Amino acid sequence: MDISRADGGSYTDNLIGTLLALFGNVLVSISLSIQKYSHVTLAGTKDLRVFYRTKTWWCGFVLTCLGEGANFVSYAFAPLALVAPLNAVSVLTSSILGLIFLREKSKPKDFAKRYGLSFVGCILTIGGTYLFVAFGPNSHEKLKAENIVKHFVGWPVLLYLLLEIITFCLLLYFYKRRSANYLVIILMLVALLGSVTVITVKAVSGMLVLTIEGNMQLDYPIFSVMFVCMVASVVFQARFLSQACKLYDSSLIASVNYILSTVFAVVAGAVFYLEFKNEDVLHICMFLLGSAFCFFGVFLLTKSRKRTKTFEPYVTMDMVNGVPTIHDKGLVVQPDSNSAFSYGALVNNDGVAPATLPVNLEQPPVGSRSTDASHGLPDLKKD
């Protein structure tokens, strides 16, 4: 970092915030890997509460709390433009852990062909992280309640919030009323809420740190306002993300959500906290270049992930043998239900024509059977 751009206090605070954010993102990725291992080992159990009785799941939960706590405190020391893009470290760590704990063996040529994009993504993410940390904003301000109120009532902030509210309402209208379930629309809603989240998290974290240092800030009304907005934005973010996960692939969601959320977080920090006010053009361009490297690196990392095939059985009726058979959707593609042969919920999913009833060619004709039956009857009295 360039120490000449700010005093020693700002440099030290930025260094503390950056290290806390790095530590928190690495810890969160490790905890998620541990919890995933716990879920994989107990995937066949019917009792869903069995996960809460394992040491690995609780170990991952504790590490998640520690990592998120470190991320929360980092906002009080470093600018938003430095903390928000560091979420790429979590994606990078998860990819490295996946390669380390990969159990399948493959030849070096096949390994390079399969994981070449992951390697390039790791290099781009590391290089981009260095650039935006080295050339990012180095100005830091003590977030007292009075300073937050001054930032909040400024006309740039009010104009930014007005545009954000209008954009959010328009996207929500198309999403709810027009059923526009596009990934970009859902993640734009998440990113708009995320910009409010990072603004409020930085304010709440800064006031909490000042309170711990001895300067009481919790009795100001702005603290309660920021805290309520923080909780509400986080809850609605989680709801929109859960809806996106039901419709689209998680790898695609991770890359697009990282890009959009980082862009809106950097813009929110520049408008609300004036983080790029004293920066020159060279540092801003290098910061943008580093962010672009991180965006492309995260996209390559998530694109090269191996998609897991979930077992989705469906039952069909074998019309020849008359017994139900279970098919795996991952191995046999289930055809559409708009086939010619269907009756209620029973569909000819095997794509074969309905079997005709077998005809016994050895049976005598109807006429012969009737004559034979007449001989077997007792003789009737004839007139």
Side-chain angles (χ1 to χ4, degrees), residues 28 32 62 86 153 193 200 257 306 308 379:
V28 167
L32 292 178
V62 171
L86 286 175
V153 297
L193 290 172
T200 54
N257 183 50
K306 183 179 179 181
T308 58
D379 294 336

Side-chain angles (χ1 to χ4, degrees), residues 14-257:
N14 281 9
L15 181 61
I16 293 173
T18 303
L19 292 177
L20 283 173
L22 289 172
F23 175 75
N25 284 293
V26 171
L27 211 60
V28 167
S29 61
I30 294 174
S31 65
L32 292 178
S33 299
I34 293 175
Q35 285 187 329
K36 184 177 181 180
Y37 173 78
S38 176
H39 283 274
V40 169
T41 54
L42 300 175
T45 59
K46 297 181 180 179
D47 188 8
L48 299 178
R49 294 174 296 179
V50 72
F51 302 105
Y52 307 124
R53 295 193 291 267
T54 59
K55 295 181 180 180
T56 54
W57 190 90
W58 280 106
C59 179
F61 178 76
V62 171
L63 291 178
T64 301
C65 294
L66 292 176
E68 293 297 341
N71 286 331
F72 179 78
V73 178
S74 66
Y75 283 97
F77 293 94
L80 292 178
L82 287 181
V83 178
L86 286 175
N87 290 329
V89 177
S90 179
V91 181
L92 176 63
T93 307
S94 299
S95 300
I96 294 175
L97 290 176
L99 293 176
I100 291 175
F101 293 103
L102 187 65
R103 295 184 178 181
E104 62 181 8
K105 297 180 180 180
S106 57
K107 298 180 180 180
K109 184 178 180 181
D110 297 334
F111 185 86
K113 183 179 179 180
R114 183 173 180 179
Y115 297 101
L117 290 179
S118 297
F119 182 75
V120 175
C122 289
I123 298 299
L124 289 175
T125 305
I126 294 173
T129 302
Y130 171 77
L131 285 178
F132 74 72
V133 169
F135 296 96
N138 202 21
S139 59
H140 177 71
E141 126 182 74
K142 296 293 183 180
L143 292 178
K144 298 180 180 180
E146 295 86 355
N147 297 337
I148 295 174
V149 172
K150 289 180 182 179
H151 287 300
F152 194 81
V153 297
W155 69 266
V157 176
L158 295 178
L159 180 61
Y160 172 77
L161 292 178
L162 179 62
L163 292 176
E164 189 174 80
I165 291 172
I166 293 175
T167 306
F168 183 83
C169 292
L170 289 175
L171 292 175
L172 190 63
Y173 169 76
F174 284 106
Y175 175 68
K176 292 291 186 181
R177 299 297 181 182
R178 301 294 183 180
S179 299
N181 296 327
Y182 300 108
L183 180 63
V184 176
I185 292 180
I186 300 176
L187 295 184
M188 279 284 290
L189 293 170
V190 174
L192 290 172
L193 290 172
S195 64
V196 177
T197 302
V198 294
I199 290 173
T200 54
V201 165
K202 185 173 179 61
V204 172
S205 178
M207 285 188 283
L208 284 175
V209 170
L210 289 177
T211 302
I212 294 173
E213 292 177 352
N215 189 359
M216 187 62 182
Q217 301 290 319
L218 304 184
D219 53 354
Y220 289 92
I222 190 65
F223 176 80
S224 301
V225 173
M226 289 293 181
F227 184 80
V228 171
C229 293
M230 178 185 70
V231 174
S233 60
V234 168
V235 170
F236 283 104
Q237 265 187 281
R239 290 187 60 183
F240 283 118
L241 279 176
S242 64
Q243 293 174 6
C245 291
K246 295 178 181 178
L247 300 175
Y248 299 96
D249 182 65
S250 59
S251 300
L252 182 62
I253 293 173
S255 60
V256 178
N257 183 50

